[in-house]
Amino acid sequence: MQRPFTIPKNSVADLGDYLKMCACTAVMLQSVLALVLSTQPSTATQLGMGVLYDLVKFTAPAFIFGILYTSTRLSYPQTVSHYPQHLHQQWSALFVPTIWWTFAYLLIFPNVQQVTTYHSVGSFIWQFINGNAAPHLWYNTMMLQFILLMPCFWLLARWVNHQPSHAWLVTGLTIVGYAAWLWFYDANVWHGAQTQNWYLLDRLFISFVIYGIFGVLTWCYQDVLARWLHRGRWLIGLALLAVIGWTTQQLFSHGTPVSFANAPYYQPSMTLYALLIISVIAIIGWHQIRQQSRVLPVVHWLATYAYRAYLANVFWLQALWRLGGQSLTGHPWLQIIGCYVLTWLLAFASAYGFHVAWSTVKQRLFTTQTAH
């Protein structure tokens, strides 16, 4: 008898776990590719790196989609009255690691700052909060906005849940609104006169709001979407191949040397690519969840530490680069493979190690206070 096409509600891992795990694993490769590209490898190598970079250019959308999916699953149907509790939980889970790692980058590796560097207390604070402390921290500035706006997504989930007409209306308005945003960004920032002045728009929540909204909608209608994606999996695969060709052509149309700045998230091709990759991850993830695969505990464990590993990855990459990675210049693919594998291992090891250490300290402090 065929199993009903429903997603178990009490699974060890959920779709959000798969998305966060994949996004974290891919974003570390972005960091490595960008660093190796700075050594000016051969044109053939740059082209290969460009293809690889385009393939992993889905990380921020997948993270936002996964975070909103899981947050909605765990918190629905909370209201504004639960907001203080929500902030308290997220403060220790997300804000505290962000603060510590931002300090680490600014004080230990100030050379990785973006756009400008700090030269006073005021500029230090500005670099701290605007996401320029390291190449990847722009994402934190953007992502934490979604955490602060969570009551809006609770309201959205209550409005669309069990109301398909509402869900279709939100979907249509989101697509139209986001298309307008992409046009505005292209005309005024990427190919416009405000490239330098308005660059902070790339870390404004609205630049990724489509993935947050779709994450909420996916949780509300996951059984229906899982069935649709399963039936259309071959079409999705073909569409993905076509879009990969599209994004690759766009990147290489700018000529050489290859610049990853020519592959921004804010273009229709990249938006479609991100949504297709998320769909592929959903097809695989939901299949394994329905089958209660043995990998589910591993996926959940990796997802639990994915954000903290993400924060740490550039730190460990910089350390590895100075300890020997830079000496391999002239062997770019060896640099990429070696630095990527070691960065991944160190990032997750440090995320888990710091968690255990801090938990031990808190336990001892609690025991000491109780004893007195």
Side-chain angles (χ1 to χ4, degrees), residues 122-142:
S123 59
F124 181 93
I125 295 173
W126 177 237
Q127 290 293 90
F128 193 97
I129 64 175
N130 69 7
N132 284 338
H136 63 316
L137 292 185
W138 68 270
Y139 163 79
N140 300 75
T141 301
M142 177 270 299

Side-chain angles (χ1 to χ4, degrees), residues 41-155:
S42 68
T43 300
T45 300
Q46 290 183 40
L47 295 176
M49 292 171 63
V51 172
L52 193 55
Y53 186 83
D54 265 350
L55 291 177
V56 295
K57 189 71 174 183
F58 65 87
T59 53
F63 248 128
I64 295 301
F65 197 108
I67 287 172
L68 267 296
Y69 176 95
T70 298
S71 296
T72 306
R73 181 180 70 83
L74 294 176
S75 62
Y76 183 83
Q78 289 185 350
T79 61
V80 177
S81 62
H82 299 94
Y83 191 49
Q85 180 184 359
H86 164 75
L87 289 182
H88 178 74
Q89 293 172 341
Q90 300 306 322
W91 172 255
S92 59
L94 301 177
F95 284 85
V96 171
T98 297
I99 292 170
W100 283 115
W101 278 111
T102 303
F103 270 123
Y105 287 114
L106 287 173
L107 299 177
I108 300 175
F109 290 127
N111 61 291
V112 301
Q113 293 176 81
Q114 303 294 292
V115 183
T116 185
T117 58
Y118 67 84
H119 51 81
S120 64
V121 174
S123 59
F124 181 93
I125 295 173
W126 177 237
Q127 290 293 90
F128 193 97
I129 64 175
N130 69 7
N132 284 338
H136 63 316
L137 292 185
W138 68 270
Y139 163 79
N140 300 75
T141 301
M142 177 270 299
M143 185 274 296
L144 293 176
Q145 295 171 54
F146 282 89
I147 302 302
L148 296 175
L149 292 170
M150 198 62 206
C152 298
F153 293 100
W154 292 338
L155 179 62

Side-chain angles (χ1 to χ4, degrees), residues 21-31 56-59 340:
M21 178 199 68
C22 291
C24 182
T25 299
V27 77
M28 293 184 194
L29 184 54
Q30 287 186 16
S31 300
V56 295
K57 189 71 174 183
F58 65 87
T59 53
Y340 174 67

